Amino acid sequence: MALRASGTDAPLTVLAVDDEKPALDELAFLLRAQDAVGEIRTAGEATTALRILRDGEIDAVFLDINMPGLDGLELAGILSNFASPPPVVFVTAHDDRAVDAFDLGAVDYLLKPLREERLAESVRRIVEGRRRHEPQAATAAVSDEVIPVELGGVTTLVHRSSVEWVEADGDYARLHTADRSHLVRIPISALETRWADAGFLRVHRSYLVSLPLVTGIRTVGNGLVVCLRQHGDLPPVELPVSRRHTRMLKDRLVRAPKQSWTAR
C-alpha cells in the first residue's frame, strides 16, 4: 500500500465506504466537487473495501463506522497494520466514537449530514499530509497530538501545541488555550503521563502546565506560583504549585538551565 508515485500535486485516488447506498452516492458526489480529488472508488462493505485497497493504490479512505460485519473502526484497525496505511477520514452519524477514531490515527471525523466545507477541510489535510511525507522533505513534521472535543454535536479538534495549561475537573480535564477552554473526558493523570515528553509538567494535583510557556515562578506567602505567558490585555495566568511538586518544577526550570550554562 503506497501513496501515488506521481507527486504531491497529482489528483487523489480515494475510496469511499458506506453500506447505505444513498449516503455512499452523496459522499461520492461531494468528493467529485473537490479539485484535489481525481478517481473515486466505492465499496458497500469492508470486505470489498479491503480487496480494493490490496489491489490498487489508494491515497485516502472516507469510511463509515456503523456497517454490518466488519465495522469502520475495525477496518481502520486492519489498515493501520499496512506498511504504508492510507489516511482515513470517518464519515458517520455517530458523534460518540471520535476518541476511538482518533486513537486509530484518523485524519478527520465528519458527522452526517455532510457539509461540503468540512469535507473540503478533510481533503486539504490529506493533501498537506502527503506533502509532509514526501521523501524530499527537509525535516520530518513534528508530531502534534490532536484531541477531539465533543460539544453540542460539534467535534472541535484541539492541537496539543495550543494547550497552555490543564485543569482537573473531577474525572475530566479542562484544556486551556490562548482564547478559550475545552472540557474533555480524560483524567489529568492520563494527560500528565501521555504529554510528559512534550514538555508538560504536573505542578499541583489540579494543574498541568506547558513548560515552554512558563515565564517565571514567584513566592506568594508560604507557597509558590507559576506564571504563564500573557495574551494581549488579558491578565497573566498564575497557578499554585504544591509542595510535593516544587522540587521537580525548580529542577526543570532553574537548576537544569543553570547547570547547562555552568558546563559551557
Side-chain angles (χ1 to χ4, degrees), residues 48-236:
T48 302
L50 276 173
R51 185 173 65 250
I52 294 173
L53 286 159
R54 286 169 174 154
D55 289 347
E57 292 181 337
I58 298 295
D59 294 316
V61 181
F62 289 78
L63 179 60
D64 186 26
I65 288 182
N66 191 18
M67 297 188 296
L70 200 67
D71 70 21
L73 291 172
E74 292 169 330
L75 176 57
I78 293 173
L79 297 185
S80 68
N81 293 317
F82 281 27
S84 298
V88 172
V89 173
F90 285 98
V91 183
T92 177
H94 300 273
D95 63 359
D96 59 346
R97 308 300 300 275
V99 172
D100 296 329
F102 285 107
D103 279 346
L104 288 168
V107 170
D108 209 346
Y109 190 91
L110 305 182
L111 290 176
K112 299 175 181 177
L114 272 177
R115 291 186 292 116
E116 187 173 353
E117 60 270 22
R118 279 293 286 118
L119 183 65
E121 171 65 15
S122 299
V123 172
R124 183 189 65 78
R125 292 179 184 178
I126 292 167
V127 171
E128 289 185 353
R130 181 164 69 167
R131 287 171 179 163
R132 285 199 304 268
H133 289 89
E134 279 292 284
Q136 66 266 30
T139 58
V142 177
S143 176
D144 186 8
E145 187 173 21
V146 174
I147 307 92
V149 180
E150 308 289 338
L151 181 62
V154 177
T155 302
T156 301
L157 305 180
V158 180
H159 289 263
R160 182 183 60 203
S161 60
S162 71
V163 177
E164 302 190 346
W165 56 287
V166 181
E167 180 181 9
D169 193 341
D171 293 331
Y172 291 68
R174 187 170 293 279
L175 311 178
H176 292 267
T177 62
D179 56 354
R180 61 180 300 187
S181 66
H182 307 270
L183 190 65
V184 294
R185 196 180 305 173
I186 306 172
I188 194 171
S189 57
L191 293 176
E192 175 188 8
T193 301
R194 185 160 179 162
W195 290 1
D197 291 341
F200 282 80
L201 183 69
R202 190 77 168 266
V203 298
H204 188 279
R205 67 180 181 179
S206 297
Y207 301 111
L208 180 70
V209 301
S210 175
L211 291 179
L213 301 180
V214 173
T215 59
I217 53 177
R218 68 186 184 91
T219 302
V220 177
N222 295 324
L224 197 70
V225 297
V226 60
C227 310
L228 299 181
R229 185 174 60 190
Q230 185 174 0
H231 294 283
D233 296 330
L234 296 175

